[in-house]
Amino acid sequence: MTTTQGDSGVLAGEERMLVDGALVDATGGARFDVVHPASEEVVGQAADGTVDDLSRAVAAARRAFDAGDWARDVQFRHRCLIQLHDALEANKERLRRILITEVGCPVTVTGSQIESPVAEVKHWAEHGRDFDYLVDTGSHETALGPARRKLNYEPLGVVGAITPWNVPLYLNIAETVPALMAGNTVVLKPAQLTPWSGSELGRIVAEETDIPAGVFNVVTSNANEVGAALSADPRVDMITFTGSTATGRAILAASAPTVKKTLLELGGKSAHIVLDDADFGSALPMAAMMACVMSGQSCVLPSRILLPRSRYDEGLAVLQSSMENFPMGDPWTPGNMQGPQVSETQRQKVLDLIASGRDSGARLVTGGGVPESLPVGYYVQPTLLADVDPDSRIAQEEIFGPVLTVTPYDTEEQAVAIANNSIYGLSGEVSGADVDRAFAVAQRMRTGNVTINGKSHFGITSPFGGTKQSGLGYRNGEQGFTEYLHIKTIGMPQ
């Protein structure tokens, strides 16, 4: 069932789950409400799946992998995923409206959340079709004489995907389509706040592709124990998860008894080192935009700005002007680039962290509260905090809001030390006129990815993964595809 509301474009998505090829209600028919962050109103419902529903989905995925041909027929997988790509393309505007309804993402910036993931389906279909699943490594000398060795790349089995709410359609695709193209079967558990970006994907798979029953399953639920059950289920061979480091630790603990593979993209507290020769007029407005464009709800956001003390006041002035003039408001209005936080809980978390920063001695330059012009909706003002102690809570905890903290430094060595002073290591940025110097600084940052002068590290053809407590493994690139494959080494006669 779909509903619309007024002239806003609000659109509710598929209420049912996809289990073993059928769109079904939750056991007992339970549902939970979905709230539009820009209006604070309930705009629809989703199936409130149970642990039993999850178990049925896992059983279907296990059976489809063990008894079906999906794992063995590359050409069939390619054909089905091209069907999925074409169906997503045809449903793109419907998906866009559902995305804005669930997340509050402004329509102006939905390209990365709609066009990009739809294109990635085709990329992975073609990448998997052309991948060499059997590699002959030639002759090897052994104590028993020469042996020929071949590497056989095989699917892992059943993959459980647990996804977050900030970029839901993108991550639902990023965590399932490479796994499917590699020959695995999948059970997707979308985030509670954004169930429709998962259930709509399930509906499209069921109604518009030839993907066999059980190969792809979607279980929506408002209960945390459903995701925990997926992580612990011995019939699941791998868990892929994007979300908080705290939840990632819980998934590792739940997965440990069955020693299943885990691919984790976790929290970030990335630093942006602005060198003293940087073009502030270019680098800092972009930094402000990155903080606000997704309401700060991005794991790779370089939220800690490190400015040279010699140009500190100049940098603060540029950041303040950029944040005070950033277009924020109704996500349905073209031109607005910052919408609301996804929920009241998330907004309160952001406001609490801002308050903690001020309590620890940070200076509020601009923002810091709820905009008076937007009394309805979970909005937070673009916020700039200066003179931030690098050991304070505001400098150490992921905020996931439109907030930048600024800390001065005196030397490059001090800037790198401050940047590395974090349990996280997901992303980072360096700005400077001397690119070789900026590159040398980037090499010293303990983080999985670094952008220099706005040239993004992120893309479908390049591996993306974190260090320290920001995750395990890679998405994207050749490495991201082989995460979903096991390498079997076979020794044989010449």
Side-chain angles (χ1 to χ4, degrees), residues 9-205:
V10 168
L11 181 66
E14 175 60 56
E15 292 183 350
R16 298 166 295 177
M17 308 180 296
L18 176 62
V19 177
D20 201 9
L23 294 169
V24 298
D25 292 321
T27 299
R31 292 176 179 169
F32 63 97
D33 293 337
V34 180
V35 174
H36 180 37
S39 68
E40 306 183 33
E41 294 180 354
V42 173
V43 289
Q45 293 185 317
D48 196 359
T50 66
V51 171
D52 286 342
D53 292 321
L54 186 279
S55 183
R56 288 191 297 111
V58 172
R62 184 79 263 167
R63 183 173 61 253
F65 181 82
D66 293 339
D69 293 328
W70 183 258
R72 293 177 285 278
D73 194 337
V74 175
Q75 294 303 322
F76 178 60
R77 298 200 299 267
H78 174 263
R79 180 168 69 83
C80 288
L81 290 180
I82 291 298
Q83 288 176 334
L84 177 59
H85 167 267
D86 294 346
L88 289 168
E89 187 71 35
N91 282 271
K92 201 161 59 175
E93 295 314 312
R94 171 182 170 83
L95 291 168
R96 193 185 315 276
R97 288 175 62 191
I98 290 170
L99 173 78
I100 299 168
T101 299
E102 288 189 304
V103 184
C105 174
V107 64
T108 303
V109 296
T110 53
S112 62
Q113 298 213 40
I114 298 294
E115 275 77 10
S116 292
V118 171
E120 290 192 7
V121 175
K122 186 175 184 180
H123 168 87
W124 288 120
E126 294 178 347
H127 184 93
R129 176 197 59 193
D130 299 335
F131 184 80
D132 191 353
Y133 294 89
L134 184 62
V135 178
D136 190 330
T137 67
S139 180
H140 301 259
E141 292 299 323
T142 77
L144 300 176
R148 187 171 212 82
R149 290 181 186 153
K150 295 186 178 183
L151 305 181
N152 200 46
Y153 287 81
E154 303 174 344
L156 293 166
V158 177
V159 174
I162 304 173
T163 55
W165 46 258
N166 60 328
V167 280
L169 181 66
Y170 170 77
L171 286 166
N172 289 341
I173 286 174
E175 296 198 33
T176 64
V177 170
L180 289 168
M181 192 59 218
N184 302 282
T185 58
V186 171
V187 178
L188 169 64
K189 163 60 178 67
Q192 289 99 317
L193 291 171
T194 54
W196 294 330
S197 290
S199 59
E200 278 292 313
L201 185 58
R203 179 191 65 78
I204 291 169
V205 165

Side-chain angles (χ1 to χ4, degrees), residues 229-315:
L230 182 60
S231 301
D233 197 306
R235 297 167 294 178
V236 175
D237 300 288
M238 175 182 178
I239 292 291
T240 172
F241 168 74
T242 300
S244 72
T245 295
T247 303
R249 295 187 193 111
I251 286 171
L252 279 174
S255 301
T258 52
V259 198
K260 58 172 57 72
K261 181 174 183 177
T262 55
L263 172 56
L264 305 175
E265 181 194 326
L266 305 178
K269 190 66 178 176
S270 303
H272 181 175
I273 298 177
V274 184
L275 298 174
D276 55 14
D277 65 346
D279 179 356
F280 279 23
S282 172
L284 296 182
M286 181 63 70
M289 184 191 78
M290 291 297 294
C292 301
V293 74
M294 290 175 58
S295 304
Q297 296 171 156
S298 169
C299 57
V300 296
L301 168 65
S303 60
R304 294 184 293 149
I305 307 296
L306 308 184
L307 292 178
R309 197 178 300 275
S310 61
R311 301 183 65 186
Y312 188 64
D313 291 340
E314 175 191 355

